[in-house]
Amino acid sequence: MTVIKPGTRLRSQVCQTEVVIVRAPAEPLSLTCGGKELVSVDTPVQATGPVPGHDGGNQLGKRYTTGSGGSLEMLVTRAGAGTLAADDVPLVLKEARPLPASD
């Protein structure tokens, strides 16, 4: 478990996924992708493929969060095959807010 802060860049150990933390909670979290801990973007890794059951993938340019009003939000800067999770709970794709009508 690590304490994270906004602007932190992380990468997956099992696929090509890279993320930037947009909003972070005060408490430490275990952030994973594909079933393995996310590491600093500067850490060299040998992609081995996601663990079965953690291979749902993620989308480039999309934000993932711990749920509606969640305290964690991350932006995918490089997509991959692994499922993003916080404390072993898969993150959900953040939906865009609808724009107000301009009648």
Side-chain angles (χ1 to χ4, degrees):
M1 291 210 177
T2 57
V3 176
I4 53 174
K5 59 184 179 179
T8 302
R9 295 176 57 209
L10 302 169
R11 73 182 317 168
S12 172
Q13 296 185 61
V14 299
C15 64
Q16 300 299 318
T17 301
E18 291 184 14
V19 299
V20 172
I21 303 301
V22 176
R23 186 174 46 207
E27 67 274 358
L29 286 175
S30 173
L31 298 177
T32 60
C33 181
K36 300 264 181 149
E37 192 80 23
L38 287 171
V39 295
S40 170
V41 76
D42 300 329
T43 305
V45 294
Q46 182 81 10
T48 58
V51 174
H54 297 275
D55 54 1
N58 51 70
Q59 299 176 28
L60 176 66
K62 300 294 183 179
R63 292 176 185 239
Y64 288 82
T65 184
T66 51
S68 62
S71 59
L72 171 69
E73 185 176 321
M74 62 176 69
L75 172 68
V76 175
T77 57
R78 188 170 185 187
T83 300
L84 295 167
D87 291 337
D88 294 325
V89 177
L91 299 179
V92 295
L93 183 64
K94 184 175 180 181
E95 297 294 326
R97 289 187 228 150
L99 296 173
S102 59
D103 293 335

